[in-house]
Amino acid sequence: MALSLQAKVLINVLMMLGTWATQSMSGRPFIDEDAITQKHEQWMAHHGRNYQDNAEKERRFQIFKTNLEFIENFNSNAINKTYQLSLNIFAELTDEEFLATYTGYRMPSLPKTNKTTPFKYADQADEVPENKDWREVEGVVTSVKNQQQCGCCWAFSSVGAVEGIIRNGVSLSAQQLVDCVSNNNGCGGGWMTNAFEYIIQNQGIVSEDDYPYNQVQGMCNSGTASNSAAKITGYRNVPSNDESYLKMAVANQPVSVAIDASTFKLYSGGFNGDCGTRLNHAVTLVGYGTSAEYGSKYWLIKNSWGVNWEKMAT
């Protein structure tokens, strides 16, 4: 996905960033109730949605209608916007449900701080290419994953960054991190630094094939967890509030970052240029560049909401 971000980053050879926008609704266009009902039925069929009873269906329909009205209003007034909204897979969720279920970045109130070390790539300022896409380098970016209804984006962001260092094309186990990182909250959210520290202390992380993802937090399988497919020896922070440092880091490797994903709920394509600072979702930066169509600078992110969302956002 191509995304314009305002960077505030904490990485390890890996970690953090920020983006956000709030949704507001001014004059709602008229939408025919029968047409909305038909759209909802079509959307249900397309996404395989079923409801436990009529009350639940009605509640979801009302949320769907509110979202549709917001989409119509946004797109009809998006004169200076470079992205569009549509009835995507999240169209029957409230903002609160979406953030609670499909994000999961939780930064501790008093985060640990590493001993200050020089920025690893500081001497490369004159060597940074104008465009970078790690997807074009074999083995660096693995296939897009789907966290589904488990708020463990932090785990997928972390393994994406480690995969980008190992560069052998092996998908690493997000489930191992969900189960075994005791100072995170599994599907209830977590922080990537805790994941990196676990990988170091455990002397590695196993492959996804050996410890597959199952969408819920379980008991840590310590036997499997010891059969490592990749190891790291440390991580560092990217200096904050300066995108030039982030660009230097991403020019050398994928970077684990936190963003404000609130405007992603109904996103359907283009460049999301609305930025904010309420970090709630973790992804992996896998490149950057400048849009030939819009002339806008952007960051490429690898998300964890499945292939269908990723294709829509590319």
Side-chain angles (χ1 to χ4, degrees):
M1 170 193 170
L3 170 70
S4 293
L5 286 180
Q6 195 172 28
K8 180 184 178 184
V9 180
L10 182 64
I11 100 173
N12 152 270
V13 225
L14 312 139
M15 175 153 181
M16 146 177 163
L17 173 84
T19 87
W20 161 270
T22 55
Q23 297 182 355
S24 62
M25 292 183 65
S26 53
R28 297 180 177 181
F30 172 77
I31 302 176
D32 180 76
E33 191 81 10
D34 291 338
I36 300 174
T37 300
Q38 185 176 5
K39 280 181 179 291
H40 188 223
E41 293 292 338
Q42 292 171 345
W43 181 91
M44 288 170 54
H46 179 72
H47 293 287
R49 287 289 196 270
N50 294 294
Y51 305 102
Q52 60 183 7
D53 53 38
N54 288 334
E56 174 64 12
K57 182 177 181 180
E58 175 62 21
R59 190 172 81 86
R60 290 296 161 193
F61 171 74
Q62 293 301 325
I63 295 169
F64 180 90
K65 182 169 71 171
T66 297
N67 285 331
L68 176 59
E69 290 174 350
F70 178 81
I71 291 167
E72 294 288 339
N73 183 70
F74 178 92
N75 289 342
S76 63
N77 292 287
I79 298 174
N80 297 317
K81 299 290 185 180
T82 57
Y83 66 100
Q84 303 82 42
L85 305 182
S86 71
L87 294 170
N88 64 18
I89 193 172
F90 304 126
E92 64 169 6
L93 298 177
T94 65
D95 291 348
E96 294 75 17
E97 289 172 329
F98 169 73
L99 293 175
T101 305
Y102 291 98
T103 59
Y105 174 76
R106 303 288 185 271
M107 186 172 180
S109 56
L110 294 173
K112 297 178 182 178
T113 56
N114 292 336
K115 182 172 66 176
T116 301
T117 56
F119 179 51
K120 182 175 182 179
Y121 304 117
D123 61 349
Q124 299 182 17
D126 297 330
E127 304 171 13
V128 176
E130 285 304 308
N131 298 279
K132 189 70 179 184
D133 188 345
W134 283 110
R135 298 173 301 177
E136 297 175 350
V137 181
E138 186 176 358
V140 177
V141 182
T142 64
S143 61
V144 173
K145 311 304 189 296
N146 192 345
Q147 69 186 74
Q148 301 192 52
Q149 296 186 15
C150 172
C152 63
C153 58
W154 59 270
F156 286 99
S157 173
S158 301
V159 298
V162 177
E163 290 165 355
I165 296 171
I166 305 303
R167 303 183 183 182
N168 61 6
V170 174
S171 291
L172 301 176
S173 177
Q175 187 67 46
Q176 179 182 355
L177 300 182
V178 172
D179 292 349
C180 301
V181 181
S182 59
N183 50 352
N184 277 347
N185 296 313
C187 291
W191 195 31
M192 293 86 88
T193 290
N194 292 340
F196 300 139
E197 291 182 350
Y198 164 81
I199 295 170
I200 295 167
Q201 293 165 7
N202 190 62
Q203 299 183 42
I205 181 172
V206 305
S207 70
E208 184 180 53
D209 286 343
D210 285 342
Y211 204 143
Y213 185 62
N214 60 19
Q215 309 168 40
V216 295
Q217 182 177 7
M219 295 293 292
C220 180
N221 187 333
S222 56
T224 299
S226 64
N227 185 25
S228 65
K231 296 180 180 181
I232 59 174
T233 58
Y235 61 92
R236 298 184 185 180
N237 299 335
V238 172
S240 63
N241 301 319
D242 191 331
E243 285 191 299
S244 64
Y245 286 116
L246 179 61
K247 187 176 180 181
M248 281 184 259
V250 178
N252 285 275
Q253 64 186 84
V255 175
S256 176
V257 303
I259 65 175
D260 188 333
S262 303
T263 56
F264 286 13
K265 188 184 80 172
L266 300 171
Y267 174 82
S268 69
F271 291 88
N272 186 345
D274 293 327
C275 299
T277 58
R278 295 178 59 185
L279 306 180
N280 52 31
H281 187 48
V283 295
T284 309
L285 280 187
V286 297
Y288 58 83
T290 302
S291 164
E293 181 179 359
Y294 299 109
S296 303
K297 293 182 179 180
Y298 62 81
W299 298 103
L300 288 170
I301 70 171
K302 180 184 179 184
N303 204 352
S304 54
W305 293 341
V307 174
N308 289 336
W309 193 91
E310 202 78 7
K311 285 180 178 178
M312 176 180 64
T314 300

